[in-house]
Amino acid sequence: LFRATAAGTETLKNLVLPGVGRILIVDDCASHGHASNFFVTEVTNKTRAQVALEKLQELNPDVKGRWKHVESLQSLEMSTVLNSPNQLIVASDVEPPLLKKISLACEELSLPLVVVQSY
């Protein structure tokens, strides 16, 4: 999952509950107050990706997960996160230039991409 927004974590929840296997959350939000994400409600010193992963793993402990905080998704080298087999990529509330970058990387690696946008 690129960006752990409310829409993104809800999408992952629907994959975690039936037992997707493993997940990776990559996020550029270091905010400690996560008011815009109903799934991540507490104020903590953890990143949004870390808290989202912990909450998702509570729903199904059999699902393995990792999180990665980055300063900027736009400057992220896509090959550092798109290197595992059997992937479905979810991009949540990403701006058009970043979506294009993710889309091109997915196309190059023949990975399916689901785009989630909340309004």
Side-chain angles (χ1 to χ4, degrees):
L1 169 66
F2 287 100
R3 206 163 274 150
T5 64
T9 52
E10 179 68 21
T11 302
L12 272 191
K13 180 195 80 167
N14 291 321
L15 296 171
V16 165
L17 284 173
V20 70
R22 65 179 185 257
I23 59 175
L24 169 64
I25 300 173
V26 182
D27 195 51
D28 55 0
C29 177
S31 174
H32 304 306
H34 309 289
S36 65
N37 188 336
F38 68 92
F39 201 73
V40 183
T41 56
E42 69 267 9
V43 176
T44 177
N45 61 352
K46 298 176 183 178
T47 65
R48 181 171 67 176
Q50 184 178 3
V51 174
L53 178 63
E54 290 171 359
K55 295 293 187 182
L56 288 165
Q57 287 183 303
E58 287 176 10
L59 298 173
N60 187 343
D62 293 332
V63 172
K64 306 299 179 217
R66 296 182 303 124
W67 61 272
K68 179 179 180 89
H69 172 75
V70 295
E71 292 301 316
S72 166
L73 286 173
Q74 189 63 47
S75 62
L76 177 67
E77 178 58 47
M78 291 294 149
S79 64
T80 63
V81 293
L82 300 179
N83 56 4
S84 298
N86 306 320
Q87 289 189 3
L88 167 67
I89 309 305
V90 178
S92 175
D93 295 307
V94 296
E95 54 280 353
L98 177 56
L99 180 57
K100 182 175 182 179
K101 181 178 179 177
I102 294 169
S103 177
L104 290 172
C106 288
E107 181 180 23
E108 183 178 307
L109 298 168
S110 300
L111 296 173
L113 172 63
V114 174
V115 178
V116 180
Q117 191 72 38
S118 60
Y119 296 95

